[in-house]
Structure formats: structure tokens, C-alpha cells
Amino acid sequence: MRARLAAPLYALAMICLSVAGIGAAALVLVGAALMVVGVGRFVFPSAVALLRTVADAARWLSGRLGVDIERPYGDETSAVGLLKAPSTWRDVIWAFVDPIIGTWTCALALGMPLYGLYGAAVQPWVWRSNARSGGINAYGPIHVTSTTAALAAVPVGIGLIALGLYLGPGLLRRRARWTCDRLGPSRTTRLERRVETLVDTRADSVDAQAAELRRIERDLHDGAQARLVALGIGLGNAERLFEEDPDAALQLVAAAREASSQALDELRDLVRGVHPPVLADRGLADAIRALALDSLLDAEVSSELTGRPAPAVESAVYFAVNELFANIGKYAGTAAVRVTLGYRNGVLSCDVTDDGDGGADPANGTGLQGIRSRLAVFDGTIAIDSPPGGPTHIRLEVPCAIRSE
């Protein structure tokens, strides 16, 4: 309801931005023309900055309507750099075309409630004076020549107000999506950023895999391998003692059996750290429930998943939640935790909320940065909302396909 009531105000703001955009775009064209005589070097950057301010306001409005638009600008600051930047001319095209394409959406979102308000609250009071002055008292199909006709216009006006408020948000979102195509990064820019992201995530992934291999090698060398070597030595000694001292040989065999059991436990722990069996057998939701039990957190886990993502995606989300549980146990103490798994529009989401003291900041540690790097390999993202005093809400999103159960 709040969004519907705010739609006419957003529509009015969009109309004002359209007017401001045309003026700023005209100044950009004038500044570009003055570049020939040299004066444009001083005028053009200021005109571009003004147009970008208007475009940023349009992006902000689109974000309020649920359509987030990324700024496409680079680090160019000189007049020549701004003149060559494709984003400058995309803004100019948007400024001139937007009023033509988008005016009808704002006209409906703003005009219908205003016209309805006139019929419901103003028409019954002004129709007499309007008739005496020779004006036309027509409200849609109703020709207002009496109080009865004026009152008949009231329900029509109320209906227009309701229809305008109902249609307004959808119309403005349609315009916001069109604005996103014009004011967001171009296809070339998105591909370049995608390549940069892939290069960075590939490097992070290679580093993470190398570190994981070193950890596995160290755990094998210091744990299971050392126990297996000791097991072999013990069995060799027992073999030599069987004839001379059977009792001592039996003690060595018992010790070897204990060492083999410990080595097996360590190998199981090592495999569990690579890919937990509960994750492979029971899926992501049950694996996270098992994590919560192991971490001794008061956690509630709910899932809306209708199938299972790829094993690599499951593993990435599982270990990301494991890291979050470790952070909560370390910094939030006995805070209650709520985990919600969902899947919509090809994106797996995992919301982790705790009622701790808040203040989570990726810049203060490597845990959250590691989660970001782990998810970035799959084009995943992490969003953190953790004001001082709490609560902390962290949302993980990974684009993927779901296999039906």
C-alpha cells in the first residue's frame, strides 16, 4: 500500500527529471560543439557532470521501484575523455528519448489519481460556478448539470483513484526497466567487467584450491600418515615378539588396532572437510541443520527448495554457512539464528539472520571476504546488513539450476 500511495509522487519526480534531463543534455551538446573553439574544454565537463547527476537521480528512483541500476561510468575526468566515453552519449540519448517513451506511464500513474481526486472531492463544489462562467462541466462521460450529476461523478472519481494507485507501481517499474537498459552499463561494459571478475575469481579460486591441497597434505602427513607408519612399525615389532613374548606382542597388536581406529577417524574428518557425507546424502537443508547442531547454536532452518543444485554450488553454500555459523558463535555468542533457503528466477538464496550485537564488517576480517571469493566463482554474491546493535542479516545468492527431487 505504501508503494501504491507513493507512485504518484515518483511519477511527478520522473516528470521533473525528464525536464531537467533535456536541459542538461542540451548543455552537453552545446559544450561538445564549443570544443571546436576551445571554450568547450571548460563548459563540457560541467555539463556532463550535471547530466550524470540527473541520471543518478533517475537510477535512485528506479532503485526505489525495485529496479537497481549500476553506474556505468569510468574514471575519465578530462573533456576529451568524457567526449569519447560511450556512457556520455548513452545519457544524452536517454535524456531526449525518455520523455517520449516514458511520459505515458507517468501520465497514467499521476493523472488518474489526480483526475479521480478532482471528480470525487472538487467537482461537487465547483460545478455551479463553472457553469455560471460558461465552462464545460463534463467529467468523463458524465455531463454535470445538477447536484445529482455531480454526486454521480464521486464514485467514478474514487474508482479512478483506486485504479491509478493499483496500476501506478507496475507502470513505473516498466519505465524503470526501460531506464535500466539505457542508463545501466552497455553490453560491452558488462562483458569487460565480467572478464575482470572471472580473472579475479579464477585467481582466488586457484589460491584457495592450492591452500586446500596444502591443508589436506599437511593433515595427511601429520595425522593419518604418521599413525599408519606407527601402525606398520608396531605390527613389525609384534611379529618379532610373537615367539619370544606373546603377551607383549598382543599389547602391540592392541595398540596397532587403536592406532588404526584413530587413523580412520582422522581420514573421515578429512573427507568430511572436503565434501561432508551428510551434504551428499541428505541435501543442503539437512546439512545446514547438522551444522547448527554441531555448532551448538539456537538455529531454525527452513527451506523452500524443490530440488537440489549442482554439488559444487551446494558445497560452496554449505561452507559459506559454516563460516557464518563460526562467526556467529565467535562474536554473537548465544544469539538465535534463522536460516532460510529459497530459489527464485534461477537464483539460489540463503538468508542468515541473527539477533546479536551487529557490526559485521568484511573489512575487519578474512571470513566474509573468503565467502565472497568462494561464491564469486559461481557469479554468487553476499549482501551484509549489520547495523551496530543488531540484528545482522546476510544474504547469499548464487545463480544456478535446480534438479527436481
Side-chain angles (χ1 to χ4, degrees):
M1 180 57 67
R2 183 180 301 175
R4 300 190 189 283
L5 294 176
L9 298 178
Y10 288 144
L12 179 61
M14 285 183 172
I15 293 174
C16 295
L17 282 176
S18 295
V19 176
I22 291 175
L27 288 177
V28 170
L29 294 179
V30 171
L34 292 176
M35 290 283 286
V36 179
V37 296
V39 181
R41 293 180 177 274
F42 305 99
V43 178
F44 187 71
S46 299
V48 172
L50 177 61
L51 178 58
R52 289 185 174 183
T53 300
V54 176
D56 285 339
R59 294 186 187 94
W60 180 82
L61 274 177
S62 298
R64 298 288 294 180
L65 295 167
V67 181
D68 295 326
I69 304 177
E70 183 181 358
R71 294 183 88 241
Y73 309 126
D75 55 358
E76 62 274 351
T77 56
S78 65
V80 176
L82 293 173
L83 187 66
K84 294 181 179 179
S87 57
T88 299
W89 303 110
R90 284 170 58 86
D91 287 354
V92 171
I93 294 173
W94 164 80
F96 284 117
V97 178
D98 180 67
I100 301 173
I101 301 297
T103 297
W104 67 274
T105 59
C106 292
L108 291 175
L110 177 62
M112 291 177 67
L114 287 181
Y115 191 56
L117 185 64
Y118 173 77
V122 179
Q123 179 85 2
W125 305 99
V126 301
W127 72 271
R128 292 181 183 275
S129 58
N130 192 27
R132 285 195 296 267
S133 63
I136 299 176
N137 277 331
Y139 187 76
I142 302 174
H143 188 65
V144 182
T145 57
S146 64
T147 302
T148 302
L151 293 176
V154 172
V156 176
I158 294 175
L160 284 175
I161 293 174
L163 184 61
L165 294 179
Y166 176 77
L167 296 177
L171 292 171
L172 295 182
R173 277 194 296 271
R174 182 180 294 273
R175 177 173 181 174
R177 285 191 289 269
W178 182 88
T179 302
C180 181
D181 294 336
R182 304 281 77 77
L183 292 184
S186 65
R187 179 178 177 82
T188 302
T189 302
R190 288 197 298 268
L191 288 175
E192 291 175 350
R193 293 182 179 179
R194 171 70 176 143
V195 170
E196 292 176 358
T197 301
L198 287 175
V199 171
D200 293 339
T201 55
R202 180 187 176 189
D204 292 340
S205 178
V206 170
D207 292 341
Q209 290 177 358
E212 186 69 9
L213 288 174
R214 288 194 298 270
R215 182 188 70 82
I216 294 173
E217 181 182 6
R218 184 176 61 251
D219 290 346
L220 285 173
H221 182 273
D222 297 341
Q225 179 178 326
R227 293 191 183 278
L228 290 174
V229 171
L231 173 62
I233 296 173
L235 289 175
N237 292 332
E239 184 180 5
R240 289 192 299 270
L241 289 174
F242 264 122
E243 294 182 357
E244 300 177 3
D245 191 349
D247 293 336
L250 288 176
Q251 292 178 1
L252 288 175
V253 170
R257 183 182 60 189
E258 180 67 22
S260 67
S261 176
Q262 293 177 355
L264 182 59
D265 291 339
E266 290 182 358
L267 286 174
R268 285 173 176 169
D269 292 339
L270 185 62
V271 171
R272 189 178 297 111
V274 175
H275 192 77
V278 66
L279 181 61
D281 297 339
R282 302 176 60 183
L284 185 58
D286 286 336
I288 292 178
R289 292 188 181 98
L291 271 181
L293 292 175
D294 291 340
S295 61
L296 302 181
L297 291 175
D298 179 16
E300 175 188 349
V301 181
S302 60
S303 174
E304 300 174 358
L305 301 181
T306 58
R308 297 186 62 173
V313 174
E314 273 191 335
S315 180
V317 176
Y318 172 86
F319 284 109
V321 175
N322 186 27
E323 180 68 29
L324 293 178
F325 279 178
N327 287 345
I328 294 172
K330 182 177 181 181
Y331 299 108
T334 58
V337 185
R338 185 171 66 256
V339 182
T340 304
L341 294 170
Y343 184 78
R344 185 178 181 184
N345 297 328
V347 177
L348 170 67
S349 63
C350 178
D351 294 280
V352 181
T353 305
D354 70 75
D355 57 0
D357 296 331
D361 186 359
N364 292 336
T366 59
L368 295 176
Q369 292 288 357
I371 293 175
R372 177 173 284 118
S373 299
R374 182 187 294 274
L375 298 182
V377 175
F378 305 94
D379 287 339
T381 59
I382 175 173
I384 303 169
D385 181 18
S386 182
T392 295
H393 176 218
I394 297 178
R395 182 176 180 85
L396 312 177
E397 290 188 343
V398 183
C400 65
I402 287 286
R403 305 191 310 273
S404 178
E405 292 286 5

